[in-house]
Amino acid sequence: MSQLNITVIGATGMAGSAIVQEAVKRGHTVTAMARSENDLAALAKKVAGIHTMAVDAFQVPAEDWHAADAVVDAFATDPAHAYLHIDLATRLVAELRGTNKPRVVFILGAGSLQTGADHHLVVDDLRKLPGSDQFIAIPESQYIELQFLRSVKNVNWVGISPSRDFTAGPATKVLMGTNTLLHNAAGQSHTTAGTMAVAVLDEIEQPQHRQTRFTVADK
């Protein structure tokens, strides 16, 4: 596989840092983007050879996006600012309309996946949980983000959703699906950040999906 230039937004978060590590392990050139200089410095000590950009992704000029072969949106925020998931997706799309490069990979939530015999959305179950008002804005916003992306036909994008439980941890063998919440043979619906990172890099290196969303889980 030839070396690619990969930019990771939210590179110091759980998913972003795992993706940075996997990309470097595979020999790619990585630009790690985050708002905190201190967090980026800590990541650079852990993962040698990365380029870092301490910047708000909303302030990045278009030419920086176009310089990458792939951009991974692993942006994370608190529920009070959940709308920024939608805002960042719309900004990236606006900057990249009518292009085939870079490939943009959006890390989406599990809330937009279907589950149950009636194929209802996972976010509907999440709303029923005690205390859901403290977090529900995140899966709701990521569902709206996916709805927006599905209308985009002139940007080279792909979305990837984890399973219901998305936690730190090393990669396992990967289960893959499309729009239905996955469970492994033990009935668990779980994705580690390591598994997500492997799925992201596999998709960047050998694209199997275009302008659609798929989902991955730990096997």
Side-chain angles (χ1 to χ4, degrees), residues 135-197:
F135 66 82
I136 197 65
I138 296 289
E140 288 179 339
S141 292
Q142 289 182 311
Y143 174 51
I144 296 170
E145 179 185 7
L146 175 59
Q147 289 180 302
F148 162 69
L149 289 171
R150 284 173 167 162
S151 73
V152 176
K153 306 302 181 185
N154 59 351
V155 173
N156 187 3
W157 69 271
V158 64
I160 309 180
S161 286
S163 291
R164 188 187 300 271
D165 298 322
F166 189 28
T167 64
T172 71
K173 291 184 177 180
V174 181
L175 283 174
M176 294 185 64
T178 52
N179 292 310
T180 301
L181 185 70
L182 296 173
H183 295 80
N184 62 20
Q188 299 168 326
S189 181
H190 184 263
T191 307
T192 62
T195 296
M196 174 61 75

Side-chain angles (χ1 to χ4, degrees), residues 122-136 139 164-165:
V122 171
V123 71
D124 294 333
D125 290 339
L126 296 177
R127 289 192 187 100
K128 299 173 185 176
L129 294 176
S132 64
D133 58 312
Q134 300 297 311
F135 66 82
I136 197 65
R164 188 187 300 271
D165 298 322

